């Protein structure tokens, strides 16, 4: 015989083996997962075929029913348009546009009036929240539109003193900082908040933030890459804010002839540094806080083109100027000349360090031409000549300050100048303390 002899194989099996073969062939298929899955698949295929046979549609019957339904609708007036006449299309289009416009208008009105927001309670946390019936949006906090409406109602009830901050700030933006905005700030605390809004402040980027490579045309409003541009753009009474970092000013003279306020880091002036090789000439009222002004370390040459010495003070306050400072450092080390010169100007300084007057006769502070200066908790020292020189009927008032480590006299008074000292400390001044020179 050719092939497998099943009887021979069956006779050679042990009883247990024969039972196992019988179980696998006759019993196990009815209980295995593979067999049951295969049976279910076959049953599903048969059911699907049966459903498809049951769903055969009679197209002619459907068309007849459709025609009958349309005839009934036309007879009863329920059908809006079935093969309308061309003359009626414009009317139907007008009706559609009118209805769409009405729906949009109602939705916009609900958005502006806040009627689309309703208060609900969360089913899980039992906390109240706000739900927008038009957009499906949900918020825990009260929607902004409802807050604005409440502010408007308060303003209508209480008057101008309760005008919402946003529109009040917008109105303030059309006013000049000085004197109009300052006058408005005195009306109430609310008006002061609007008049001193942060958006009115001019910001200057330091070198560390890439100011040298920024595209000026892409900057936001009231943002600048250098102090010169900020001063040029500023109006009378504006505030210029300097962030932490360094600012390079290469101009020989920087003239400020408008009232300005320049602020840096009031906690540590070392964080805001102006590297300036020239002179700041102040001819108007002004305020500076939290800024260090010093000579650039790389500017080692102090010679003019003709070989003579180039003498420059860091700050010069001219007649008519009133320049107040707090928490500042004026350091002329590396330069040549005095640190500060007041030529008929005035100032009131608190916690200001003046040092580095260098070269022949380099003083810390010079007051002349009826200049006036009030120093409180200040430090004047490290100058090659006198710490403070008053002449031409100038006056200085010093309290709780230090005049120290000057190579010349601590103070010199000339030309009927005078001073008032209170709790002022003098030490390590090589030339002495005070000289009255007529």
């Amino acid at each position: 015989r050719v092939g497998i002899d099943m009887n021979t194989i069956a006779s050679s099996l042990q009883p247990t083996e024969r039972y196992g073969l019988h179980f696998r062939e006759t019993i196990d298929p009815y209980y295995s997962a593979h067999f049951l899955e295969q049976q279910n698949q076959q049953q599903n295929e048969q059911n699907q075929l049966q459903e498809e046979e049951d769903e055969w549609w009679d197209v002619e019957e459907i068309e007849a029913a459709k025609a009958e339904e349309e005839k009934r609708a036309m007879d009863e007036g329920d059908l809006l348009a079935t093969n309308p006449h061309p003359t009626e299309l414009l009317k139907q289009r007008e009706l559609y546009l009118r209805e769409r416009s009405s729906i949009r208008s109602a939705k916009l009105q609900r958005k502006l009036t806040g009627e689309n927001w309703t208060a609900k309670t969360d089913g899980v946390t039992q906390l109240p929240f706000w739900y927008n019936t038009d957009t499906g949006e949900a918020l825990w906090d009260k929607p902004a539109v409802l807050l604005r409406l409440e502010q408007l109602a308060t303003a209508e009830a209480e008057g101008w003193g309760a005008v919402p901050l946003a529109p009040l700030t917008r109105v303030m933006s059309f006013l000049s900082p000085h004197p109009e905005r300052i006058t408005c700030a005195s009306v109430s605390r609310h008006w002061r908040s609007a008049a001193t809004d942060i958006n009115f402040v001019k910001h200057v980027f330091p070198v560390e933030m890439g100011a040298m490579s920024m595209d000026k045309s892409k900057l936001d409003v009231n943002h600048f890459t250098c102090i010169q541009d900020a001063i040029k753009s500023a109006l009378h009474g504006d505030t210029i804010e300097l962030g932490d970092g360094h600012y390079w000013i290469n101009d020989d003279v920087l003239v400020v002839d408008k009232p300005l306020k320049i602020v840096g880091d009031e906690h540590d002036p070392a964080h805001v540094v102006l590297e300036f090789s020239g002179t700041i000439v102040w001819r108007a009222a002004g305020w500076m806080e939290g800024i260090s002004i010093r000579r650039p370390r790389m500017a080692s040459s102090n010679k003019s083109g003709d070989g003579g010495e180039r003498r420059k003070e860091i700050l010069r306050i001219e007649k008519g100027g009133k320049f107040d400072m707090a928490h500042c450092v004026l350091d002329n080390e590396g330069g040549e000349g005095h640190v500060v010169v007041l030529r008929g100007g005035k100032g009131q300084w608190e916690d200001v360090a003046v040092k580095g007057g260098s070269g022949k006769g380099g003083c810390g502070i010079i007051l002349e031409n009826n200049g006036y200066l009030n120093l409180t908790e200040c430090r004047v020292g490290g100058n090659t000549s006198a710490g403070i020189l008053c002449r031409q009927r100038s006056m200085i008032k010093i309290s709780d300050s230090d005049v120290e480590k000057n190579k010349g006299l601590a103070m010199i008074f000339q030309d009927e100048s005078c001073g008032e000292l209170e709790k002022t400390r003098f030490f390590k001044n090589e030339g002495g303390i005070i000289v009255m020179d007529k």
Side-chain angles (χ1 to χ4, degrees), residues 123-152:
V124 178
T125 62
Q126 299 301 317
L127 295 176
F129 71 97
W130 293 89
Y131 177 75
N132 192 314
T133 56
D134 288 335
T135 64
E137 182 182 5
L139 297 175
W140 291 111
D141 299 327
K142 200 167 190 176
V145 61
L146 298 181
L147 294 176
R148 289 195 296 268
L149 291 173
E150 289 181 356
Q151 293 174 355
L152 179 60

Side-chain angles (χ1 to χ4, degrees), residues 313-368:
E313 60 271 14
I314 284 183
L315 174 64
R316 183 167 73 244
I317 306 173
E318 297 188 345
K319 186 175 182 179
K322 184 180 184 301
F323 188 60
D324 298 334
M325 281 194 295
H327 317 299
C328 292
V329 176
L330 305 178
D331 186 1
N332 197 35
E333 182 181 355
E336 189 76 16
H338 312 301
V339 183
V340 180
V341 176
L342 282 82
R343 294 180 178 172
K346 299 179 180 180
Q348 185 169 346
W349 299 354
E350 180 180 353
D351 187 22
V352 176
V354 180
K355 59 183 180 179
S358 56
K360 185 177 180 181
C363 299
I365 301 175
I366 292 184
L367 287 84
E368 55 189 16

Side-chain angles (χ1 to χ4, degrees), residues 139-417:
L139 297 175
W140 291 111
D141 299 327
K142 200 167 190 176
V145 61
L146 298 181
L147 294 176
R148 289 195 296 268
L149 291 173
E150 289 181 356
Q151 293 174 355
L152 179 60
T154 303
E156 291 177 348
E158 299 183 7
W160 288 101
V163 176
L165 189 61
L168 186 59
T169 304
R170 178 63 176 169
V171 173
M172 295 286 183
S173 65
F174 295 98
L175 305 179
S176 62
H178 177 80
E180 295 175 343
R181 205 178 293 160
I182 294 178
T183 303
C184 292
S186 62
V187 173
S188 65
R189 183 181 301 177
H190 186 63
W191 280 48
R192 179 178 178 84
S193 299
T196 58
D197 189 79
I198 189 63
N199 293 320
F200 298 144
V201 177
K202 298 186 180 298
H203 305 271
V204 184
F205 293 106
V207 174
E208 287 80 355
M209 294 184 65
M212 306 296 291
S213 60
M214 287 183 178
D215 186 355
K216 295 182 180 181
S217 61
K218 297 181 179 180
L219 295 177
D220 294 335
V221 178
N222 288 336
H223 285 73
F224 304 89
T225 59
C226 63
I227 297 177
Q228 299 94 308
D229 291 345
I231 293 176
K232 184 179 179 180
S233 174
L235 300 175
H236 288 223
D238 263 334
T239 299
I240 299 176
E241 182 182 50
L242 308 181
D244 289 1
H246 290 74
Y247 299 84
W248 294 87
I249 305 176
N250 298 320
D251 296 353
D252 191 54
V253 176
L254 179 62
V255 178
V256 182
D257 54 2
K258 62 185 77 172
L260 293 178
K261 181 178 180 181
I262 303 177
V263 297
D265 189 342
E266 66 275 14
H267 300 292
D268 189 353
H271 292 167
V272 182
V273 180
L274 271 62
E275 304 279 359
F276 189 26
S277 58
T279 300
I280 300 176
V281 179
W282 207 283
R283 297 173 178 169
W287 168 266
M288 182 180 291
E289 181 180 10
I291 297 175
S292 295
I293 306 177
R294 70 186 188 191
R295 298 306 187 190
R297 295 294 182 259
M298 64 180 66
S300 58
S301 175
N302 293 313
K303 299 294 182 179
S304 62
D306 57 1
E309 292 185 347
R310 182 175 57 192
R311 301 180 60 80
K312 292 182 179 179
E313 60 271 14
I314 284 183
L315 174 64
R316 183 167 73 244
I317 306 173
E318 297 188 345
K319 186 175 182 179
K322 184 180 184 301
F323 188 60
D324 298 334
M325 281 194 295
H327 317 299
C328 292
V329 176
L330 305 178
D331 186 1
N332 197 35
E333 182 181 355
E336 189 76 16
H338 312 301
V339 183
V340 180
V341 176
L342 282 82
R343 294 180 178 172
K346 299 179 180 180
Q348 185 169 346
W349 299 354
E350 180 180 353
D351 187 22
V352 176
V354 180
K355 59 183 180 179
S358 56
K360 185 177 180 181
C363 299
I365 301 175
I366 292 184
L367 287 84
E368 55 189 16
N369 193 16
N370 295 303
Y372 173 80
L373 184 61
N374 188 339
L375 302 180
T376 304
E377 297 182 1
C378 294
R379 298 166 303 283
V380 181
N383 303 288
T384 58
S385 185
I388 300 173
L389 171 59
C390 297
R391 59 192 179 191
Q392 299 174 357
R393 297 185 177 181
S394 298
M395 178 179 179
I396 188 168
K397 182 178 180 181
I398 308 177
S399 62
D400 199 15
S401 299
D402 298 330
V403 183
E404 60 183 5
K405 299 179 182 179
N406 296 288
K407 293 184 178 180
L409 289 161
M411 300 183 68
I412 300 176
F413 293 92
Q414 299 176 348
D415 307 325
E416 300 182 2
S417 298

Side-chain angles (χ1 to χ4, degrees), residues 81 83-95:
N83 193 21
H85 193 273
T87 57
E88 298 180 357
L89 289 177
L90 293 177
K91 182 179 180 181
Q92 299 296 334
R93 183 174 182 274
E94 182 180 354
L95 292 174

